[in-house]
Short mmCIF file of all heavy atoms in Angstrom, two decimals:
data_model
loop_
_atom_site.label_atom_id
_atom_site.label_comp_id
_atom_site.label_asym_id
_atom_site.label_seq_id
_atom_site.Cartn_x
_atom_site.Cartn_y
_atom_site.Cartn_z
N GLY A 298 28.90 -9.70 -16.63
CA GLY A 298 28.98 -8.59 -17.59
C GLY A 298 28.15 -7.43 -17.10
O GLY A 298 28.60 -6.28 -17.10
N GLY A 299 26.93 -7.73 -16.68
CA GLY A 299 26.05 -6.67 -16.17
C GLY A 299 26.66 -6.00 -14.95
O GLY A 299 26.63 -4.77 -14.81
N ALA A 300 27.24 -6.80 -14.05
CA ALA A 300 27.84 -6.25 -12.83
C ALA A 300 28.98 -5.30 -13.19
O ALA A 300 29.10 -4.21 -12.64
CB ALA A 300 28.35 -7.38 -11.94
N SER A 301 29.83 -5.71 -14.13
CA SER A 301 30.97 -4.83 -14.44
C SER A 301 30.51 -3.57 -15.18
O SER A 301 31.09 -2.51 -14.99
CB SER A 301 32.08 -5.57 -15.20
OG SER A 301 31.64 -6.05 -16.43
N ARG A 302 29.43 -3.67 -15.95
CA ARG A 302 28.95 -2.44 -16.61
C ARG A 302 28.43 -1.44 -15.58
O ARG A 302 28.65 -0.23 -15.71
CB ARG A 302 27.88 -2.79 -17.66
CG ARG A 302 28.48 -3.42 -18.92
CD ARG A 302 27.47 -3.60 -20.02
NE ARG A 302 26.52 -4.68 -19.76
CZ ARG A 302 26.75 -5.98 -19.98
NH1 ARG A 302 27.92 -6.36 -20.48
NH2 ARG A 302 25.83 -6.88 -19.73
N VAL A 303 27.75 -1.93 -14.55
CA VAL A 303 27.27 -1.04 -13.49
C VAL A 303 28.46 -0.39 -12.78
O VAL A 303 28.51 0.82 -12.56
CB VAL A 303 26.42 -1.82 -12.46
CG1 VAL A 303 26.13 -0.96 -11.22
CG2 VAL A 303 25.11 -2.29 -13.10
N LEU A 304 29.45 -1.21 -12.46
CA LEU A 304 30.61 -0.70 -11.72
C LEU A 304 31.43 0.28 -12.56
O LEU A 304 31.87 1.32 -12.06
CB LEU A 304 31.46 -1.90 -11.26
CG LEU A 304 32.51 -1.67 -10.19
CD1 LEU A 304 31.99 -0.89 -8.99
CD2 LEU A 304 33.08 -3.01 -9.71
N HIS A 305 31.62 -0.03 -13.84
CA HIS A 305 32.37 0.89 -14.71
C HIS A 305 31.71 2.28 -14.73
O HIS A 305 32.37 3.30 -14.57
CB HIS A 305 32.40 0.38 -16.15
CG HIS A 305 33.22 -0.86 -16.32
ND1 HIS A 305 33.31 -1.53 -17.52
CD2 HIS A 305 33.98 -1.56 -15.45
CE1 HIS A 305 34.10 -2.58 -17.38
NE2 HIS A 305 34.51 -2.62 -16.13
N ARG A 306 30.40 2.27 -14.94
CA ARG A 306 29.71 3.57 -15.03
C ARG A 306 29.80 4.31 -13.69
O ARG A 306 30.00 5.52 -13.66
CB ARG A 306 28.26 3.32 -15.42
CG ARG A 306 27.50 4.59 -15.50
CD ARG A 306 26.71 4.80 -16.74
NE ARG A 306 27.32 4.29 -17.94
CZ ARG A 306 26.66 4.10 -19.05
NH1 ARG A 306 25.38 4.34 -19.10
NH2 ARG A 306 27.26 3.66 -20.14
N PHE A 307 29.68 3.56 -12.60
CA PHE A 307 29.76 4.18 -11.28
C PHE A 307 31.14 4.81 -11.08
O PHE A 307 31.27 5.94 -10.60
CB PHE A 307 29.47 3.13 -10.20
CG PHE A 307 29.60 3.65 -8.81
CD1 PHE A 307 28.66 4.52 -8.29
CD2 PHE A 307 30.67 3.28 -8.01
CE1 PHE A 307 28.78 5.02 -7.00
CE2 PHE A 307 30.80 3.77 -6.73
CZ PHE A 307 29.86 4.64 -6.21
N GLU A 308 32.19 4.07 -11.46
CA GLU A 308 33.55 4.61 -11.31
C GLU A 308 33.72 5.88 -12.15
O GLU A 308 34.28 6.88 -11.69
CB GLU A 308 34.57 3.56 -11.75
CG GLU A 308 34.68 2.40 -10.78
CD GLU A 308 35.28 1.13 -11.38
OE1 GLU A 308 35.57 1.10 -12.60
OE2 GLU A 308 35.46 0.16 -10.64
N LEU A 309 33.23 5.81 -13.39
CA LEU A 309 33.37 6.97 -14.28
C LEU A 309 32.61 8.18 -13.75
O LEU A 309 33.13 9.30 -13.73
CB LEU A 309 32.84 6.62 -15.68
CG LEU A 309 33.71 5.68 -16.51
CD1 LEU A 309 32.91 5.09 -17.68
CD2 LEU A 309 34.95 6.40 -17.03
N GLU A 310 31.40 7.93 -13.31
CA GLU A 310 30.54 9.07 -12.96
C GLU A 310 30.73 9.54 -11.52
O GLU A 310 30.56 10.71 -11.23
CB GLU A 310 29.07 8.71 -13.19
CG GLU A 310 28.77 8.52 -14.67
CD GLU A 310 27.31 8.21 -14.95
OE1 GLU A 310 26.52 8.09 -13.99
OE2 GLU A 310 26.97 8.07 -16.15
N LYS A 311 31.11 8.62 -10.62
CA LYS A 311 31.08 8.99 -9.20
C LYS A 311 32.42 8.90 -8.47
O LYS A 311 32.55 9.44 -7.38
CB LYS A 311 30.06 8.10 -8.46
CG LYS A 311 28.66 8.14 -9.03
CD LYS A 311 28.00 9.48 -8.79
CE LYS A 311 26.85 9.81 -9.72
NZ LYS A 311 25.75 8.90 -9.79
N ILE A 312 33.39 8.19 -9.00
CA ILE A 312 34.63 8.00 -8.25
C ILE A 312 35.78 8.84 -8.83
O ILE A 312 36.45 9.57 -8.10
CB ILE A 312 35.05 6.51 -8.24
CG1 ILE A 312 33.99 5.66 -7.55
CG2 ILE A 312 36.42 6.34 -7.57
CD1 ILE A 312 33.95 5.75 -6.05
N LEU A 313 36.01 8.72 -10.11
CA LEU A 313 37.22 9.32 -10.70
C LEU A 313 37.21 10.84 -10.60
O LEU A 313 36.15 11.46 -10.71
CB LEU A 313 37.34 8.90 -12.17
CG LEU A 313 37.71 7.43 -12.35
CD1 LEU A 313 37.46 6.98 -13.78
CD2 LEU A 313 39.18 7.20 -11.99
N PRO A 314 38.39 11.43 -10.37
CA PRO A 314 38.44 12.88 -10.21
C PRO A 314 38.22 13.60 -11.54
O PRO A 314 38.36 13.02 -12.61
CB PRO A 314 39.85 13.12 -9.69
CG PRO A 314 40.66 11.98 -10.21
CD PRO A 314 39.71 10.80 -10.27
N ARG A 315 37.91 14.85 -11.43
CA ARG A 315 37.83 15.72 -12.60
C ARG A 315 38.97 16.73 -12.51
O ARG A 315 39.38 17.06 -11.40
CB ARG A 315 36.50 16.48 -12.63
CG ARG A 315 35.25 15.58 -12.57
CD ARG A 315 35.11 14.76 -13.85
NE ARG A 315 33.85 14.04 -13.91
CZ ARG A 315 33.70 12.75 -13.58
NH1 ARG A 315 34.72 12.05 -13.14
NH2 ARG A 315 32.52 12.17 -13.70
N THR A 316 39.46 17.20 -13.62
CA THR A 316 40.41 18.31 -13.57
C THR A 316 39.60 19.60 -13.60
O THR A 316 38.39 19.57 -13.83
CB THR A 316 41.37 18.29 -14.77
OG1 THR A 316 40.57 18.34 -15.95
CG2 THR A 316 42.21 17.03 -14.78
N ASN A 317 40.28 20.74 -13.40
CA ASN A 317 39.50 21.99 -13.41
C ASN A 317 38.88 22.25 -14.77
O ASN A 317 37.86 22.90 -14.88
CB ASN A 317 40.35 23.17 -12.96
CG ASN A 317 41.58 23.37 -13.83
OD1 ASN A 317 41.94 22.49 -14.60
ND2 ASN A 317 42.21 24.52 -13.70
N GLU A 318 39.48 21.66 -15.83
CA GLU A 318 38.93 21.91 -17.16
C GLU A 318 37.61 21.19 -17.39
O GLU A 318 36.85 21.56 -18.26
CB GLU A 318 39.93 21.48 -18.24
CG GLU A 318 41.03 22.50 -18.44
CD GLU A 318 42.38 21.86 -18.63
OE1 GLU A 318 42.45 20.84 -19.34
OE2 GLU A 318 43.36 22.39 -18.07
N ASN A 319 37.36 20.13 -16.65
CA ASN A 319 36.08 19.44 -16.86
C ASN A 319 35.41 19.15 -15.51
O ASN A 319 34.83 18.10 -15.31
CB ASN A 319 36.27 18.15 -17.69
CG ASN A 319 36.91 17.03 -16.88
OD1 ASN A 319 37.57 17.30 -15.88
ND2 ASN A 319 36.67 15.81 -17.28
N SER A 320 35.48 20.14 -14.63
CA SER A 320 35.05 19.90 -13.26
C SER A 320 33.58 19.48 -13.17
O SER A 320 33.21 18.75 -12.27
CB SER A 320 35.31 21.13 -12.40
OG SER A 320 34.73 22.24 -13.03
N ASP A 321 32.74 19.94 -14.10
CA ASP A 321 31.31 19.61 -14.01
C ASP A 321 30.91 18.49 -14.96
O ASP A 321 29.74 18.13 -15.04
CB ASP A 321 30.46 20.84 -14.33
CG ASP A 321 30.72 21.93 -13.32
OD1 ASP A 321 30.97 21.59 -12.16
OD2 ASP A 321 30.68 23.11 -13.71
N ALA A 322 31.87 17.97 -15.70
CA ALA A 322 31.50 17.00 -16.73
C ALA A 322 30.98 15.71 -16.10
O ALA A 322 31.42 15.31 -15.02
CB ALA A 322 32.70 16.71 -17.61
N ARG A 323 30.06 15.08 -16.80
CA ARG A 323 29.50 13.81 -16.31
C ARG A 323 30.58 12.73 -16.32
O ARG A 323 30.64 11.88 -15.45
CB ARG A 323 28.36 13.43 -17.25
CG ARG A 323 27.55 12.26 -16.77
CD ARG A 323 26.30 12.11 -17.65
NE ARG A 323 25.63 10.86 -17.37
CZ ARG A 323 24.79 10.68 -16.36
NH1 ARG A 323 24.51 11.67 -15.56
NH2 ARG A 323 24.22 9.51 -16.17
N MET A 324 31.43 12.78 -17.32
CA MET A 324 32.49 11.77 -17.47
C MET A 324 33.85 12.44 -17.31
O MET A 324 34.02 13.59 -17.70
CB MET A 324 32.43 11.15 -18.87
CG MET A 324 31.24 10.26 -19.09
SD MET A 324 31.45 8.71 -18.19
CE MET A 324 29.96 7.85 -18.71
N PRO A 325 34.83 11.70 -16.81
CA PRO A 325 36.19 12.26 -16.79
C PRO A 325 36.70 12.44 -18.22
O PRO A 325 36.19 11.82 -19.15
CB PRO A 325 37.00 11.20 -16.05
CG PRO A 325 36.19 9.97 -16.03
CD PRO A 325 34.76 10.35 -16.26
N ARG A 326 37.71 13.28 -18.36
CA ARG A 326 38.33 13.53 -19.65
C ARG A 326 38.90 12.23 -20.22
O ARG A 326 39.47 11.44 -19.47
CB ARG A 326 39.49 14.48 -19.37
CG ARG A 326 39.88 15.40 -20.45
CD ARG A 326 40.70 16.52 -19.81
NE ARG A 326 42.12 16.15 -19.63
CZ ARG A 326 43.03 16.23 -20.61
NH1 ARG A 326 42.69 16.61 -21.82
NH2 ARG A 326 44.29 15.93 -20.36
N LEU A 327 38.77 12.06 -21.54
CA LEU A 327 39.42 10.90 -22.16
C LEU A 327 40.92 11.02 -21.96
O LEU A 327 41.47 12.13 -21.96
CB LEU A 327 39.10 10.83 -23.65
CG LEU A 327 37.65 10.49 -23.98
CD1 LEU A 327 37.41 10.60 -25.49
CD2 LEU A 327 37.28 9.08 -23.50
N ARG A 328 41.60 9.89 -21.79
CA ARG A 328 43.04 9.93 -21.55
C ARG A 328 43.78 10.33 -22.83
O ARG A 328 43.52 9.76 -23.90
CB ARG A 328 43.55 8.54 -21.12
CG ARG A 328 42.91 7.90 -19.89
CD ARG A 328 43.22 8.61 -18.59
NE ARG A 328 42.54 9.87 -18.46
CZ ARG A 328 43.13 11.01 -18.12
NH1 ARG A 328 44.41 11.07 -17.90
NH2 ARG A 328 42.44 12.11 -18.01
N PRO A 329 44.69 11.29 -22.73
CA PRO A 329 45.51 11.60 -23.89
C PRO A 329 46.29 10.36 -24.33
O PRO A 329 46.73 9.59 -23.47
CB PRO A 329 46.47 12.68 -23.37
CG PRO A 329 45.89 13.16 -22.08
CD PRO A 329 45.06 12.05 -21.53
N VAL A 330 46.47 10.17 -25.61
CA VAL A 330 47.33 9.07 -26.08
C VAL A 330 48.75 9.43 -25.67
O VAL A 330 49.25 10.50 -26.03
CB VAL A 330 47.22 8.88 -27.60
CG1 VAL A 330 48.24 7.88 -28.10
CG2 VAL A 330 45.80 8.45 -27.97
N LEU A 331 49.39 8.56 -24.89
CA LEU A 331 50.70 8.96 -24.37
C LEU A 331 51.84 8.12 -24.93
O LEU A 331 51.64 6.99 -25.40
CB LEU A 331 50.71 8.95 -22.83
CG LEU A 331 50.60 7.66 -22.03
CD1 LEU A 331 51.85 6.80 -22.11
CD2 LEU A 331 50.33 8.01 -20.57
N TYR A 332 53.01 8.73 -24.87
CA TYR A 332 54.24 7.99 -25.12
C TYR A 332 55.01 7.93 -23.81
O TYR A 332 55.10 8.93 -23.08
CB TYR A 332 55.11 8.67 -26.20
CG TYR A 332 56.40 7.90 -26.36
CD1 TYR A 332 56.42 6.73 -27.11
CD2 TYR A 332 57.55 8.27 -25.67
CE1 TYR A 332 57.56 5.94 -27.18
CE2 TYR A 332 58.70 7.49 -25.74
CZ TYR A 332 58.69 6.33 -26.49
OH TYR A 332 59.81 5.54 -26.54
N ASN A 333 55.56 6.77 -23.48
CA ASN A 333 56.39 6.63 -22.28
C ASN A 333 57.71 5.99 -22.69
O ASN A 333 57.75 5.00 -23.44
CB ASN A 333 55.67 5.76 -21.25
CG ASN A 333 56.53 5.54 -20.00
OD1 ASN A 333 57.58 4.90 -20.06
ND2 ASN A 333 56.10 6.08 -18.87
N SER A 334 58.79 6.54 -22.15
CA SER A 334 60.13 6.16 -22.62
C SER A 334 60.72 4.93 -21.92
O SER A 334 61.82 4.49 -22.28
CB SER A 334 61.08 7.34 -22.41
OG SER A 334 61.18 7.65 -21.03
N TRP A 335 60.05 4.37 -20.91
CA TRP A 335 60.69 3.37 -20.06
C TRP A 335 61.27 2.19 -20.83
O TRP A 335 62.46 1.85 -20.70
CB TRP A 335 59.73 2.88 -18.98
CG TRP A 335 60.26 1.72 -18.18
CD1 TRP A 335 59.78 0.46 -18.14
CD2 TRP A 335 61.41 1.73 -17.32
NE1 TRP A 335 60.53 -0.33 -17.31
CE2 TRP A 335 61.55 0.43 -16.79
CE3 TRP A 335 62.34 2.71 -16.94
CZ2 TRP A 335 62.57 0.08 -15.91
CZ3 TRP A 335 63.36 2.36 -16.06
CH2 TRP A 335 63.46 1.06 -15.56
N GLU A 336 60.45 1.53 -21.64
CA GLU A 336 60.96 0.32 -22.30
C GLU A 336 61.99 0.66 -23.37
O GLU A 336 62.83 -0.17 -23.71
CB GLU A 336 59.80 -0.51 -22.86
CG GLU A 336 58.98 -1.15 -21.76
CD GLU A 336 58.10 -2.31 -22.22
OE1 GLU A 336 58.35 -2.89 -23.29
OE2 GLU A 336 57.15 -2.64 -21.48
#
Side-chain angles (χ1 to χ4, degrees):
S301 62
R302 286 187 287 278
V303 170
L304 195 48
H305 292 176
R306 179 130 324 164
F307 177 72
E308 289 159 356
L309 287 164
E310 293 182 357
K311 304 290 159 57
I312 298 284
L313 289 165
R315 305 292 188 262
T316 57
N317 58 346
E318 281 139 41
N319 75 337
S320 53
D321 297 327
R323 189 171 170 82
M324 290 287 183
R326 209 162 83 82
L327 291 174
R328 303 292 72 230
V330 172
L331 68 72
Y332 177 79
N333 178 294
S334 62
W335 172 246
E336 290 198 19

